[in-house]
Amino acid sequence: MASAAHAGGTGWLDRLLPNRLLASVSALLAAAAMPAILRGHADWQHVPVLVWLHLVTVLAATALTPVMLLRAKGTRQHRVRDHESAVRGMVIGALLVAGWFTFAFHRMLGAWLLAPV
């Protein structure tokens, strides 16, 4: 038996934060990280390899998030909606946490991005 959430469309969170908006915010976060990294070129030799590996993997995941959110979904509706709801929760949480902890003051990327030219 289908629940009310599955029978009649989207929930309040889906309407408040549609996939297109989440995809745009993800793309913006990835796009903001690139100039920050480029502006920090003077410090690149001091950044450990493990930090570079972390940056590359996180940027790849952030860049793939819009693709994941905007691509066509599967055909089994009840399973797709359950999965999409879980993915949306992860994306929202990741954007909030990653955005805050990446660009907060006194963090490497935040300092690179906000440093005077």
Side-chain angles (χ1 to χ4, degrees):
M1 177 172 224
S3 68
H6 296 293
T10 61
W12 66 271
L13 190 56
D14 297 335
R15 290 187 303 271
L16 180 65
L17 297 169
N19 282 352
R20 286 185 187 268
L21 178 62
L22 292 174
S24 299
V25 172
S26 296
L28 246 126
L29 183 62
M34 294 310 296
I37 292 169
L38 294 174
R39 287 188 67 186
H41 66 86
D43 296 321
W44 285 359
Q45 70 272 12
H46 304 296
V47 178
V49 172
L50 193 57
V51 172
W52 284 113
L53 181 63
H54 177 75
L55 280 172
V56 167
T57 56
V58 170
L59 279 174
T62 305
L64 288 174
T65 298
V67 174
M68 176 184 67
L69 288 171
L70 298 176
R71 69 185 171 97
K73 308 297 188 264
T75 57
R76 295 179 62 193
Q77 278 306 101
H78 67 285
R79 304 285 276 164
V80 170
R81 288 185 185 147
D82 288 344
H83 180 72
E84 186 171 6
S85 177
V87 169
R88 289 174 56 78
M90 286 186 283
V91 168
I92 292 167
L95 287 173
L96 291 173
V97 171
W100 175 253
F101 287 106
T102 299
F103 294 110
F105 299 103
H106 307 296
R107 299 290 304 222
M108 185 178 71
L109 284 180
W112 285 355
L113 182 64
L114 302 173
V117 179

